[in-house]
Amino acid sequence: MSQNSFRTPQDFEKLFKAYFEPLVNFINKYLNDHEVSRDVVQSTFLKLWKNRGEIEIKTSIKSYLYQMAKNTMLEHIKKQKLKQTESLDDSVVEKVMDSNIEEFDAFIVRSIIENSLKSVKEKSREIFILNKFEGLSYDEIADFLKISKRMVDYNVGVVLKHLRTSLKNHPDLFN
Amino acid sequence: MNKFDSILKKCSQINQFHSLDIEHEWDAFKDMVKETMPDDTIPDSSPSKPKIVSILNVIRTSAAILVLIFIFLFSFKQEKSNRVDYHVSKSAEIIILSDGSSIALAKNAKINYPLSFKNEKARYIVLEGEATFDVKKNILPFIVRYDSIDVRVLGTKFILKKDNNGIYIKNIEGSVKVSSISNSENYVILKPNDELNYMNGQFNKLNIPEVIEKSDVQYKDKVVPKLNLDPDINSNDSYYKLGSLIKVFLAKQNRKQVKIDRRLKYDEEQKIKLNLNMPLKDILEALKLQGLIDIKPGKCEDCYIVVPPSNENN
């Protein structure tokens, strides 16, 4: 996806569908409110759409979106502070300020993994989650599921191969 | 550790991740854009939809045209295949049409007829050679194109043949309209037992005292062509081949009433003078009188078994 390929409705839809979910989850990490995070990301995309004619992106669309979402989140925090309805301490703002694009990449990958895992066999998905997300070793998984270690290795390999293909097809994940 | 593994590790450190229905989110976003920017362009892929719709319409229209062409070709093919040609090469035969009409075809007769009259505007037959028609009444006119004339009826029995003296038509029952192909205004209507000869565009009365005619048609009342097979043109009798009489008239046309004994032997080419308008029993008696057959009663009251003449039986 090129830098400014979001001006047509078709390109904008692609962009929205690629980044909406990881952005919501990224924002939610700091705001810890899923609905508010969703509103923040919606506002981000709305701004992008409203100003699509004027915006000239010099970096990547992913970085631009990430930065826009962060700014919208910070605006939201400031507004909440003014309203004094939410107890957001300054450390949240600092954490948001300190976040980097690689952190956002992790959410993109997680989003891709979540969607990719829907299309792999249940057994493979379970083994992969135990290994990569629950942190269990191959031996522990083999013992837990009463299967061979080789079977664990095979299933993790199947999911990784599937994931690599999905990630490779992502427009600008590693830009 | 490469970048992928590094990201994967970070990915695993995400404690909370909510999967979203992205299509639903996109729809919600579009609705929001509509509300907030009523005059702005809606970020919808719909601009491409008319294109897709128009392409689909083109495809649909093309498909419809193809289907119509296919139906047309198929029906045309059906129409073509619905008609069959038949040539009676050896002995006289009877064919029964789908409307129940029967055509007794003499040897060497050729006929082109439809296997079915469905979707036809007329029961249209093309004939060459000699044939006797028994046409069942039907809403569709029965038209026989015979050489240079059309014979049009609704339900009747008639004989059609041609020789050196022209076309001979004998109407047995009902009414028959005979017209010239080249001039449809040139026609005559035959009543029962009327006979007609047609040659060189002229209709010639034979035994009939009166022919309904068009004013522009001239009839040669005094010039009566002599037909080879029917020299006695002023009587209702005609000459028939014995083979046709037995195989076609008796064995096929009257098969419900007449059974032919397999032992019956006869000369197929022998010409017999008969009036086929007589009752069946009289016809059989006439043949018996000539010593050609003998008759035995059949299973029903009006049923007969045609057996060899008595002298042969003995």
Side-chain angles (χ1 to χ4, degrees):
Chain A
M1 196 174 280
S2 65
Q3 291 157 326
N4 294 297
S5 61
F6 59 92
R7 290 184 176 135
T8 68
Q10 293 80 15
D11 288 338
F12 192 86
E13 184 181 349
K14 280 183 196 169
L15 188 76
F16 183 95
K17 288 180 177 176
Y19 290 110
F20 189 84
E21 187 181 72
L23 276 173
V24 170
N25 281 282
F26 169 71
I27 302 296
N28 189 50
K29 181 185 172 185
Y30 300 98
L31 298 183
N32 202 25
D33 186 324
H34 186 73
E35 279 307 306
V36 174
S37 305
R38 190 171 162 271
D39 290 344
V40 167
V41 179
Q42 269 194 347
S43 300
T44 308
F45 275 104
L46 192 58
K47 278 184 215 165
L48 183 67
W49 177 251
K50 281 172 80 173
N51 301 303
R52 66 193 183 281
E54 293 81 46
I55 294 170
E56 274 296 325
I57 297 172
K58 301 241 165 69
T59 56
S60 70
I61 185 69
K62 180 186 74 175
S63 304
Y64 193 86
L65 259 178
Y66 162 77
Q67 199 57 52
M68 267 188 89
K70 264 174 76 168
N71 292 342
T72 310
M73 177 166 57
L74 290 169
E75 282 170 26
H76 170 79
I77 292 168
K78 280 180 194 171
K79 279 180 190 171
Q80 295 306 316
K81 276 185 117 178
L82 285 172
K83 285 181 187 172
Q84 294 181 335
T85 52
E86 300 247 352
S87 56
L88 286 167
D89 57 44
D90 290 339
S91 65
V92 174
V93 177
E94 283 173 21
K95 281 180 188 171
V96 172
M97 298 298 281
D98 290 344
S99 67
N100 57 43
I101 192 77
E102 283 197 5
E103 194 183 332
F104 179 49
D105 281 344
F107 281 91
I108 296 171
V109 174
R110 179 67 182 260
S111 175
I112 293 166
I113 290 170
E114 292 285 342
N115 289 299
S116 296
L117 287 178
K118 289 173 188 169
S119 59
V120 299
K121 286 182 182 173
E122 195 180 340
K123 193 76 178 170
S124 301
R125 182 166 64 241
E126 186 185 10
I127 292 168
F128 183 85
I129 289 169
L130 286 172
N131 178 243
K132 299 295 178 189
F133 299 114
E134 304 295 332
L136 270 66
S137 68
Y138 283 10
D139 287 325
E140 287 169 326
I141 295 169
D143 185 52
F144 178 67
L145 295 176
K146 307 290 181 207
I147 55 172
S148 68
K149 192 179 167 185
R150 198 175 165 186
M151 187 58 79
V152 176
D153 185 36
Y154 170 78
N155 280 284
V156 171
V158 166
V159 180
L160 279 175
K161 191 179 175 186
H162 183 70
L163 278 179
R164 280 199 176 93
T165 310
S166 302
L167 292 166
K168 204 181 283 181
N169 293 334
H170 193 272
D172 43 14
L173 180 61
F174 298 111
N175 289 333
Chain B
M1 189 180 281
N2 59 26
K3 194 174 181 181
F4 175 73
D5 291 329
S6 167
I7 291 171
L8 209 57
K9 194 180 175 186
K10 281 187 182 174
C11 178
S12 68
Q13 290 164 356
I14 298 169
N15 295 325
Q16 210 181 2
F17 192 93
H18 294 273
S19 285
L20 301 170
D21 180 351
I22 199 66
E23 294 297 334
H24 172 76
E25 296 297 338
W26 172 242
D27 288 340
F29 180 75
K30 283 194 290 183
D31 290 342
M32 193 175 70
V33 170
K34 267 184 200 172
E35 285 167 14
T36 56
M37 298 185 293
D39 298 328
D40 207 346
T41 311
I42 306 303
D44 193 347
S45 55
S46 56
S48 65
K49 281 180 184 170
K51 206 174 181 181
I52 293 166
V53 168
S54 66
I55 290 166
L56 282 173
N57 283 339
V58 168
I59 292 167
R60 281 181 192 142
T61 310
S62 307
I65 290 166
L66 281 172
V67 167
L68 286 173
I69 290 169
F70 177 76
I71 290 168
F72 172 76
L73 290 173
F74 184 71
S75 57
F76 180 69
K77 193 182 171 187
Q78 268 204 327
E79 193 178 306
K80 279 188 88 178
S81 63
N82 187 36
R83 296 195 72 87
V84 291
D85 287 304
Y86 191 68
H87 181 203
V88 182
S89 56
K90 291 181 181 175
S91 58
E93 284 188 44
I94 276 190
I95 58 166
I96 309 290
L97 303 179
S98 63
D99 65 337
S101 302
S102 63
I103 306 169
L105 296 161
K107 190 179 175 183
N108 294 325
K110 288 180 185 174
I111 190 166
N112 175 275
Y113 66 101
L115 293 171
S116 161
F117 294 111
K118 194 179 177 185
N119 301 324
E120 298 280 344
K121 289 180 180 174
R123 294 174 287 173
Y124 186 73
I125 310 293
V126 182
L127 175 74
E128 284 178 42
E130 182 183 340
T132 302
F133 290 81
D134 183 356
V135 179
K136 298 294 177 194
K137 281 189 178 172
N138 191 304
I139 196 166
L140 297 176
F142 192 100
I143 303 167
V144 182
R145 175 148 293 189
Y146 191 73
D147 196 66
S148 52
I149 61 166
D150 274 342
V151 181
R152 185 186 178 97
V153 299
L154 281 174
T156 185
K157 286 182 182 176
F158 65 97
I159 298 165
L160 203 51
K161 60 192 176 187
K162 185 185 176 187
D163 59 20
N164 295 333
N165 295 312
I167 298 168
Y168 169 81
I169 307 153
K170 181 176 182 179
N171 185 28
I172 298 166
E173 66 178 52
S175 62
V176 173
K177 180 184 176 183
V178 186
S179 62
S180 165
I181 292 172
S182 56
N183 177 14
S184 61
E185 294 296 308
N186 181 15
Y187 70 88
V188 292
I189 295 173
L190 303 182
K191 293 175 181 175
N193 295 321
D194 285 352
E195 292 173 84
L196 188 73
N197 173 259
Y198 178 85
M199 194 173 186
N200 299 327
Q202 296 291 329
F203 290 107
N204 302 301
K205 293 190 291 185
L206 297 178
N207 64 321
I208 50 178
E210 190 179 359
V211 176
I212 299 167
E213 57 186 84
K214 294 292 288 183
S215 58
D216 57 345
V217 178
Q218 290 186 348
Y219 297 103
K220 298 175 183 175
D221 289 335
K222 292 178 183 176
V223 181
V224 180
K226 193 176 179 182
L227 300 175
N228 287 344
L229 283 174
D230 196 1
D232 188 4
I233 54 172
N234 290 317
S235 83
N236 285 333
D237 291 354
S238 298
Y239 280 99
Y240 299 96
K241 286 180 183 177
L242 186 57
S244 291
L245 273 175
I246 293 173
K247 286 182 180 175
V248 177
F249 181 75
L250 294 179
K252 290 184 177 175
Q253 286 186 329
N254 292 284
R255 60 184 178 279
K256 288 181 181 173
Q257 287 175 268
V258 179
K259 301 291 175 198
I260 309 292
D261 191 319
R262 287 181 183 176
R263 291 173 296 172
L264 182 68
K265 290 178 182 173
Y266 50 90
D267 177 7
E268 290 194 5
E269 297 298 315
Q270 186 180 345
K271 289 174 183 171
I272 307 297
K273 190 180 178 187
L274 264 180
N275 178 5
L276 292 184
N277 294 322
M278 293 191 301
L280 180 63
K281 190 179 180 184
D282 293 345
I283 293 169
L284 292 170
E285 287 293 345
L287 291 170
K288 186 182 175 184
L289 278 173
Q290 294 181 52
L292 300 166
I293 62 165
D294 206 347
I295 316 161
K296 284 185 179 178
K299 288 179 181 175
C300 63
E301 193 181 338
D302 297 323
C303 296
Y304 309 95
I305 301 170
V306 175
V307 296
S310 313
N311 54 345
E312 284 185 24
N313 274 341
N314 298 331

